[in-house]
Each structure stands twice: as C-alpha cells, then as structure tokens.
Amino acid sequence: LINEVMHIAWPQIQEAAGVSRPAVNAYAARAADHLIYAYLTNLPSGDEPDPQAPELHEQLERYFPIDPQRLETYLMLLYGSVGRQWTMRDFEPLEMQNLSGLIVEFLGYGRRHEGIPYARGHLVRDQLPRYFLDREAGNLYPKEDVAALLRGGRRPRTTPPEPEHTLCPDAETLKTFLHQMVQTVRPQPYAAAALVELAPAWLRFLVARGLVGPEQKQRTLDDLQELEEELPAVPGPSR
C-alpha cells in the first residue's frame, strides 16, 4: 500500500509549489527504500536477491536512475550476504557514515532474526544515529544556568559527560530525545515508539556484532525500564 500510494503521489510531489528539491529527493529515496523492502520481503524462502531483477529496476527507475553496483551492495547488506567486521574504533569519533552503515545492517538483522518488518525498522533508521550524535554533542543534557553557577563559584560544564557506551542508549538522554520528537510542530510519535520498542533488538544486534558485551546489554536494559512510564502505550523493553 505504501508503494502504491507513493507512486500515485510522485507526479504531484515533483510539481507541487513550495516543495523544495531536497524534499523531493528525500521522498524519492524513501520510496526506493520501501520498494526494496517489499522486494526482499516477498522473496521466496531460500532465494537470494537478484540485483538485476527487471521488475525491481523498473519500479526504482520511476524515481531516479539506478547505479547497479550500489543497488547490489545495498541489497546484500540488507539480506545479510555481506557485512563489515565492525569494531569500536569505527565509532571513535562518531560520524554519520559509519552509523548509517551499521543501521542498514541492523534492519537486515532485525528482519532475519527478530521478525521486525523492514518498514518498522525504517522508523528508527534516521533517528537512532541522530540520537547518538546529539548525545555526543551534549544537546540532550539539561542546560546549565551559567549565572547561577558563577554565583555559586562553579564553572559551567564545557564538555558533555561520557556515556557508559557509545552505541548504547541511556534513559536520561533518550527521554529528552523522545520528548523533542513528540513536542514539536511536526511530532513523530510512531518513530518515538519504535525507538523504545526496538531498543532491545538493537542491543542484541550489537552483541551479535561483537560491539557490546552481555553485561553492558543487561545494564542498558535495566536503565531503560523507566521509559515505560514515559510511553505507557508502548511495551517496555523486553529481556
């Protein structure tokens, strides 16, 4: 249904007044992702994806010309045929390119091992890297009252505190990030709920990739339990 609706709307999106070129490009990229998710979901059991599949190419080329090599790499990443041997050195410092690559692998892992639909995983595809980068930048910690600190003889904090693990969320900053997602002109309640719901799967993925140990995973899950009170309609992190 998503694919059909996005295809029907595509001509109007391209011609609509007031829609910027970056927004049009983002729409096309999102449409292409969902076409690929549908293709992989509908593959017969045991079949590997065919990067040259004519029907897939025809559907994707409604939106933009296809780079066959990039399409093949992307399909195989999602399918799990290829993958990078990640280490924590790849995330020191944090940057979007490596986080985005790790998230693509997570979407494939979630589908194969956790039964998470690609479209649900897509809800956190942009938000999870943004959360980690915002936390590293110190944007998710309470703002210090500089005047009060100076009156008390304390210096304002110049660097954010170090998280327990670079790739593990923590309740304090994730709660702030979730509030920002829903308390805005364009709230994203479904993406916020998905961040909480998929957090345990994300941690299991990190353990499977050798980026997090079982003890760290459990400490993170224990810390995230308090988010049940923040989003009571969403099941809390399962163990």
Side-chain angles (χ1 to χ4, degrees), residues 43-64:
L43 273 180
S45 179
D47 284 9
E48 290 197 1
D50 177 10
Q52 306 302 323
E55 182 179 355
L56 178 61
H57 275 249
E58 180 183 351
Q59 291 175 329
L60 292 172
E61 286 172 352
R62 297 168 180 169
Y63 298 100
F64 46 71

mmCIF file of all heavy atoms in Angstrom, residues 43-64:
data_model
loop_
_atom_site.group_PDB
_atom_site.id
_atom_site.type_symbol
_atom_site.label_atom_id
_atom_site.label_comp_id
_atom_site.label_asym_id
_atom_site.label_seq_id
_atom_site.Cartn_x
_atom_site.Cartn_y
_atom_site.Cartn_z
ATOM 1 N N LEU A 43 10.587 -12.230 -1.349
ATOM 2 C CA LEU A 43 11.438 -13.268 -1.926
ATOM 3 C C LEU A 43 11.005 -14.639 -1.413
ATOM 4 O O LEU A 43 10.784 -14.812 -0.205
ATOM 5 C CB LEU A 43 12.897 -13.043 -1.546
ATOM 6 C CG LEU A 43 13.763 -12.135 -2.403
ATOM 7 C CD1 LEU A 43 15.171 -12.082 -1.810
ATOM 8 C CD2 LEU A 43 13.828 -12.612 -3.844
ATOM 9 N N PRO A 44 10.904 -15.639 -2.280
ATOM 10 C CA PRO A 44 10.631 -16.999 -1.801
ATOM 11 C C PRO A 44 11.718 -17.457 -0.831
ATOM 12 O O PRO A 44 12.890 -17.084 -0.969
ATOM 13 C CB PRO A 44 10.642 -17.833 -3.093
ATOM 14 C CG PRO A 44 10.329 -16.855 -4.177
ATOM 15 C CD PRO A 44 10.954 -15.554 -3.744
ATOM 16 N N SER A 45 11.340 -18.227 0.143
ATOM 17 C CA SER A 45 12.275 -18.700 1.157
ATOM 18 C C SER A 45 13.449 -19.425 0.498
ATOM 19 O O SER A 45 13.267 -20.300 -0.348
ATOM 20 C CB SER A 45 11.568 -19.643 2.128
ATOM 21 O OG SER A 45 12.465 -20.133 3.090
ATOM 22 N N GLY A 46 14.654 -19.035 0.888
ATOM 23 C CA GLY A 46 15.847 -19.670 0.344
ATOM 24 C C GLY A 46 16.420 -18.989 -0.882
ATOM 25 O O GLY A 46 17.567 -19.266 -1.260
ATOM 26 N N ASP A 47 15.652 -18.127 -1.526
ATOM 27 C CA ASP A 47 16.145 -17.421 -2.711
ATOM 28 C C ASP A 47 16.979 -16.211 -2.298
ATOM 29 O O ASP A 47 16.629 -15.504 -1.348
ATOM 30 C CB ASP A 47 14.985 -16.941 -3.585
ATOM 31 C CG ASP A 47 14.358 -18.066 -4.382
ATOM 32 O OD1 ASP A 47 14.710 -19.236 -4.114
ATOM 33 O OD2 ASP A 47 13.518 -17.787 -5.242
ATOM 34 N N GLU A 48 18.064 -15.977 -3.005
ATOM 35 C CA GLU A 48 18.861 -14.776 -2.777
ATOM 36 C C GLU A 48 18.359 -13.652 -3.670
ATOM 37 O O GLU A 48 17.822 -13.902 -4.753
ATOM 38 C CB GLU A 48 20.342 -15.047 -3.065
ATOM 39 C CG GLU A 48 20.996 -15.958 -2.050
ATOM 40 C CD GLU A 48 22.501 -15.879 -2.100
ATOM 41 O OE1 GLU A 48 23.031 -15.095 -2.928
ATOM 42 O OE2 GLU A 48 23.151 -16.584 -1.320
ATOM 43 N N PRO A 49 18.514 -12.411 -3.244
ATOM 44 C CA PRO A 49 18.063 -11.287 -4.080
ATOM 45 C C PRO A 49 18.846 -11.220 -5.384
ATOM 46 O O PRO A 49 20.026 -11.549 -5.429
ATOM 47 C CB PRO A 49 18.332 -10.060 -3.200
ATOM 48 C CG PRO A 49 19.334 -10.510 -2.192
ATOM 49 C CD PRO A 49 19.095 -11.961 -1.961
ATOM 50 N N ASP A 50 18.166 -10.803 -6.425
ATOM 51 C CA ASP A 50 18.775 -10.639 -7.741
ATOM 52 C C ASP A 50 18.897 -9.151 -8.030
ATOM 53 O O ASP A 50 17.904 -8.480 -8.312
ATOM 54 C CB ASP A 50 17.914 -11.316 -8.806
ATOM 55 C CG ASP A 50 18.463 -11.107 -10.214
ATOM 56 O OD1 ASP A 50 19.590 -10.608 -10.338
ATOM 57 O OD2 ASP A 50 17.744 -11.437 -11.179
ATOM 58 N N PRO A 51 20.111 -8.591 -7.953
ATOM 59 C CA PRO A 51 20.281 -7.147 -8.201
ATOM 60 C C PRO A 51 19.870 -6.724 -9.598
ATOM 61 O O PRO A 51 19.672 -5.530 -9.848
ATOM 62 C CB PRO A 51 21.778 -6.929 -7.980
ATOM 63 C CG PRO A 51 22.245 -8.098 -7.178
ATOM 64 C CD PRO A 51 21.370 -9.242 -7.589
ATOM 65 N N GLN A 52 19.733 -7.694 -10.513
ATOM 66 C CA GLN A 52 19.353 -7.370 -11.890
ATOM 67 C C GLN A 52 17.873 -7.615 -12.159
ATOM 68 O O GLN A 52 17.445 -7.553 -13.322
ATOM 69 C CB GLN A 52 20.188 -8.217 -12.866
ATOM 70 C CG GLN A 52 21.688 -8.113 -12.674
ATOM 71 C CD GLN A 52 22.197 -6.695 -12.806
ATOM 72 O OE1 GLN A 52 21.700 -5.924 -13.629
ATOM 73 N NE2 GLN A 52 23.179 -6.332 -11.996
ATOM 74 N N ALA A 53 17.092 -7.885 -11.120
ATOM 75 C CA ALA A 53 15.668 -8.206 -11.312
ATOM 76 C C ALA A 53 14.978 -7.099 -12.107
ATOM 77 O O ALA A 53 14.947 -5.945 -11.652
ATOM 78 C CB ALA A 53 14.994 -8.389 -9.965
ATOM 79 N N PRO A 54 14.436 -7.406 -13.298
ATOM 80 C CA PRO A 54 13.854 -6.359 -14.156
ATOM 81 C C PRO A 54 12.714 -5.596 -13.491
ATOM 82 O O PRO A 54 12.630 -4.371 -13.624
ATOM 83 C CB PRO A 54 13.363 -7.144 -15.381
ATOM 84 C CG PRO A 54 14.155 -8.413 -15.378
ATOM 85 C CD PRO A 54 14.406 -8.732 -13.933
ATOM 86 N N GLU A 55 11.839 -6.313 -12.778
ATOM 87 C CA GLU A 55 10.706 -5.632 -12.162
ATOM 88 C C GLU A 55 11.166 -4.628 -11.114
ATOM 89 O O GLU A 55 10.637 -3.518 -11.019
ATOM 90 C CB GLU A 55 9.751 -6.644 -11.534
ATOM 91 C CG GLU A 55 8.518 -6.009 -10.927
ATOM 92 C CD GLU A 55 7.571 -7.031 -10.325
ATOM 93 O OE1 GLU A 55 7.826 -8.248 -10.461
ATOM 94 O OE2 GLU A 55 6.566 -6.608 -9.713
ATOM 95 N N LEU A 56 12.176 -5.012 -10.319
ATOM 96 C CA LEU A 56 12.695 -4.103 -9.295
ATOM 97 C C LEU A 56 13.315 -2.869 -9.953
ATOM 98 O O LEU A 56 13.075 -1.738 -9.517
ATOM 99 C CB LEU A 56 13.724 -4.817 -8.423
ATOM 100 C CG LEU A 56 14.387 -3.967 -7.334
ATOM 101 C CD1 LEU A 56 13.361 -3.427 -6.352
ATOM 102 C CD2 LEU A 56 15.467 -4.781 -6.602
ATOM 103 N N HIS A 57 14.103 -3.071 -11.007
ATOM 104 C CA HIS A 57 14.717 -1.942 -11.697
ATOM 105 C C HIS A 57 13.647 -1.013 -12.268
ATOM 106 O O HIS A 57 13.757 0.212 -12.174
ATOM 107 C CB HIS A 57 15.627 -2.450 -12.821
ATOM 108 C CG HIS A 57 17.002 -2.791 -12.356
ATOM 109 N ND1 HIS A 57 18.117 -2.068 -12.701
ATOM 110 C CD2 HIS A 57 17.440 -3.780 -11.535
ATOM 111 C CE1 HIS A 57 19.190 -2.594 -12.127
ATOM 112 N NE2 HIS A 57 18.802 -3.645 -11.424
ATOM 113 N N GLU A 58 12.622 -1.606 -12.851
ATOM 114 C CA GLU A 58 11.558 -0.788 -13.440
ATOM 115 C C GLU A 58 10.874 0.075 -12.391
ATOM 116 O O GLU A 58 10.596 1.257 -12.608
ATOM 117 C CB GLU A 58 10.539 -1.692 -14.123
ATOM 118 C CG GLU A 58 9.378 -0.943 -14.763
ATOM 119 C CD GLU A 58 8.341 -1.868 -15.368
ATOM 120 O OE1 GLU A 58 8.599 -3.092 -15.439
ATOM 121 O OE2 GLU A 58 7.261 -1.376 -15.756
ATOM 122 N N GLN A 59 10.622 -0.505 -11.221
ATOM 123 C CA GLN A 59 9.956 0.246 -10.157
ATOM 124 C C GLN A 59 10.860 1.354 -9.620
ATOM 125 O O GLN A 59 10.409 2.480 -9.385
ATOM 126 C CB GLN A 59 9.556 -0.717 -9.031
ATOM 127 C CG GLN A 59 8.454 -1.683 -9.423
ATOM 128 C CD GLN A 59 8.177 -2.683 -8.316
ATOM 129 O OE1 GLN A 59 9.054 -3.057 -7.548
ATOM 130 N NE2 GLN A 59 6.931 -3.129 -8.238
ATOM 131 N N LEU A 60 12.139 1.039 -9.422
ATOM 132 C CA LEU A 60 13.052 2.031 -8.866
ATOM 133 C C LEU A 60 13.302 3.180 -9.830
ATOM 134 O O LEU A 60 13.430 4.337 -9.411
ATOM 135 C CB LEU A 60 14.377 1.359 -8.482
ATOM 136 C CG LEU A 60 14.345 0.377 -7.311
ATOM 137 C CD1 LEU A 60 15.681 -0.345 -7.192
ATOM 138 C CD2 LEU A 60 14.002 1.078 -6.009
ATOM 139 N N GLU A 61 13.345 2.868 -11.096
ATOM 140 C CA GLU A 61 13.650 3.896 -12.085
ATOM 141 C C GLU A 61 12.494 4.860 -12.318
ATOM 142 O O GLU A 61 12.648 5.833 -13.055
ATOM 143 C CB GLU A 61 14.091 3.230 -13.391
ATOM 144 C CG GLU A 61 15.504 2.654 -13.280
ATOM 145 C CD GLU A 61 15.913 1.816 -14.469
ATOM 146 O OE1 GLU A 61 15.042 1.551 -15.340
ATOM 147 O OE2 GLU A 61 17.092 1.415 -14.530
ATOM 148 N N ARG A 62 11.366 4.619 -11.688
ATOM 149 C CA ARG A 62 10.318 5.632 -11.683
ATOM 150 C C ARG A 62 10.794 6.894 -10.954
ATOM 151 O O ARG A 62 10.310 7.997 -11.206
ATOM 152 C CB ARG A 62 9.070 5.118 -10.964
ATOM 153 C CG ARG A 62 8.389 3.920 -11.601
ATOM 154 C CD ARG A 62 7.360 3.357 -10.633
ATOM 155 N NE ARG A 62 6.665 2.194 -11.165
ATOM 156 C CZ ARG A 62 5.886 1.404 -10.442
ATOM 157 N NH1 ARG A 62 5.715 1.656 -9.145
ATOM 158 N NH2 ARG A 62 5.291 0.363 -11.001
ATOM 159 N N TYR A 63 11.746 6.703 -10.031
ATOM 160 C CA TYR A 63 12.163 7.802 -9.161
ATOM 161 C C TYR A 63 13.523 8.388 -9.544
ATOM 162 O O TYR A 63 13.716 9.598 -9.450
ATOM 163 C CB TYR A 63 12.184 7.324 -7.711
ATOM 164 C CG TYR A 63 10.811 6.899 -7.224
ATOM 165 C CD1 TYR A 63 10.454 5.554 -7.169
ATOM 166 C CD2 TYR A 63 9.859 7.847 -6.866
ATOM 167 C CE1 TYR A 63 9.183 5.171 -6.742
ATOM 168 C CE2 TYR A 63 8.592 7.478 -6.442
ATOM 169 C CZ TYR A 63 8.256 6.133 -6.384
ATOM 170 O OH TYR A 63 6.991 5.747 -5.980
ATOM 171 N N PHE A 64 14.468 7.572 -9.949
ATOM 172 C CA PHE A 64 15.778 8.074 -10.358
ATOM 173 C C PHE A 64 16.547 6.942 -11.034
ATOM 174 O O PHE A 64 16.226 5.765 -10.863
ATOM 175 C CB PHE A 64 16.580 8.628 -9.172
ATOM 176 C CG PHE A 64 16.575 7.755 -7.951
ATOM 177 C CD1 PHE A 64 17.279 6.553 -7.927
ATOM 178 C CD2 PHE A 64 15.879 8.127 -6.810
ATOM 179 C CE1 PHE A 64 17.276 5.745 -6.798
ATOM 180 C CE2 PHE A 64 15.870 7.324 -5.676
ATOM 181 C CZ PHE A 64 16.582 6.130 -5.680
#
